[in-house]
Amino acid sequence: RSSSSLVSRSSGWVPESISNPVKTVADTIADFYKEYPQPPVLPMYRTFLIDFLTSNHLTMVDSRFKYDAVFALGLTENYMGLMGSYDKMAGGDGQADKIWVAFNKALGMDAEKVKADAEAVKSWAKDTPPAKILAAMEGSEAAADARISDAFSGISKGLYSMPFSIGLFKVMELSGIETSKANVEEWAKALKVGASRAASDLETYKLNKNKLQKAEEMLREVEIREKKKLAERLEAKAKALAEKAAQKAAEAKEPTA
């Protein structure tokens, strides 16, 4: 029987199955690999990247979600924190940028637009006094860029997500405000979002930042060890060639019978 056929239930006749119009996590991951089929993502990054893709997929399929420039900044900062050393480990060639493009396409976004929106928020945060930033958050004063005003005015009615939190923390850092629990709670209240949720995100953000720093240190140590091993192999090879050459020279000097 086809999936559209009807089956009996105590409450009446209902469809046997209903197609889900919401894109699945599996579809998003598949779309990412379609956009970035080769070279394979380095194993040490793959799990983190797919987890990051999955968490943002789940955020964006939520009916309350609305894309904005602060979300874009948080997404960009989170990605750079995760993939900042990728090209160095992968041997260059700009693979991190290619993965970024595929990542955004899989989520239905344009990588260049996300980057441009993020840069607009960063520039504004650097050039705007903290008091004016708070005023823009509260809505008593408009931000110089409409994208930022829209982000601040819309978040209390939309889905507050981790990327938005990270975008907010970055605005604080760039404007010279310490990212402390008290300051984050104050800014969250100005945006009319849950102060406890923002404070919890700050704790998670700092823990993840610390983990990434440790991971980068580990990667640097691995890189140093690999370079040392390569140097030792090259030295051994050079020594073997020198010994072989010396032996041949000695044999050439020996008088023939």
Side-chain angles (χ1 to χ4, degrees):
R1 183 178 287 189
S2 69
S3 62
S4 60
S5 61
L6 300 177
V7 295
S8 178
R9 295 286 186 273
S10 59
S11 58
W13 294 91
V14 296
E16 200 168 83
S17 66
I18 301 172
S19 61
N20 184 3
V22 178
K23 188 177 181 181
T24 66
V25 170
D27 288 339
T28 294
I29 293 171
D31 285 347
F32 169 75
Y33 283 117
K34 280 178 194 170
E35 295 294 335
Y36 189 80
Q38 292 291 335
V41 176
L42 294 179
M44 65 186 76
Y45 287 89
R46 192 179 302 132
T47 301
F48 296 110
L49 182 65
I50 296 304
D51 284 351
F52 185 44
L53 181 65
T54 299
S55 65
N56 282 289
H57 163 89
L58 294 172
T59 294
M60 294 177 70
V61 297
D62 191 303
S63 60
R64 297 166 296 165
F65 173 77
K66 184 186 175 187
Y67 170 87
D68 61 57
V70 176
F71 173 89
L73 175 58
L75 193 73
T76 306
E77 288 298 312
N78 207 344
Y79 181 83
M80 287 309 299
L82 177 66
M83 302 291 285
S85 302
Y86 189 86
D87 284 339
K88 192 174 180 182
M89 296 303 297
D93 203 22
Q95 292 304 312
D97 285 340
K98 293 174 184 176
I99 292 171
W100 169 247
V101 170
F103 178 90
N104 278 274
K105 280 188 178 179
L107 291 169
M109 296 188 294
D110 178 83
E112 287 303 314
K113 174 177 169 47
V114 173
K115 189 176 178 182
D117 289 344
E119 286 300 322
V121 181
K122 285 171 74 173
S123 296
W124 178 77
K126 286 177 187 174
D127 298 337
T128 308
K132 283 190 172 290
I133 292 176
L134 266 175
M137 287 178 177
E138 292 166 343
S140 59
E141 189 174 313
D145 191 311
R147 287 173 288 185
I148 298 162
S149 291
D150 289 345
F152 289 158
S153 63
I155 193 58
S156 63
K157 301 183 285 290
L159 178 69
Y160 187 85
S161 63
M162 188 63 173
F164 191 98
S165 275
I166 294 173
L168 186 64
F169 305 152
K170 192 63 185 179
V171 168
M172 295 181 83
E173 289 171 9
L174 292 169
S175 62
I177 297 294
E178 181 191 359
T179 50
S180 65
K181 182 174 181 284
N183 287 338
V184 165
E185 287 176 343
E186 182 187 359
W187 282 38
K189 286 172 186 173
L191 287 169
K192 301 179 182 67
V193 297
S196 59
R197 166 63 195 274
S200 175
D201 283 353
L202 175 65
E203 190 176 338
T204 303
Y205 171 68
K206 287 185 174 180
L207 282 171
N208 288 342
K209 204 172 181 182
N210 189 42
K211 283 180 186 175
L212 285 169
Q213 285 171 350
K214 286 181 178 176
E216 284 189 355
E217 285 171 14
M218 184 184 73
L219 290 174
R220 278 194 291 271
E221 287 172 7
V222 169
E223 186 183 13
I224 290 166
R225 281 200 300 270
E226 289 302 314
K227 283 181 177 178
K228 188 178 178 182
K229 285 179 184 176
L230 177 61
E232 287 171 353
R233 286 197 297 270
L234 291 172
E235 186 180 352
K237 190 176 180 180
K239 188 178 178 182
L241 287 171
E243 287 173 354
K244 194 173 181 181
Q247 187 180 354
K248 280 186 178 180
E251 287 172 356
K253 287 179 182 179
E254 288 178 5
T256 55

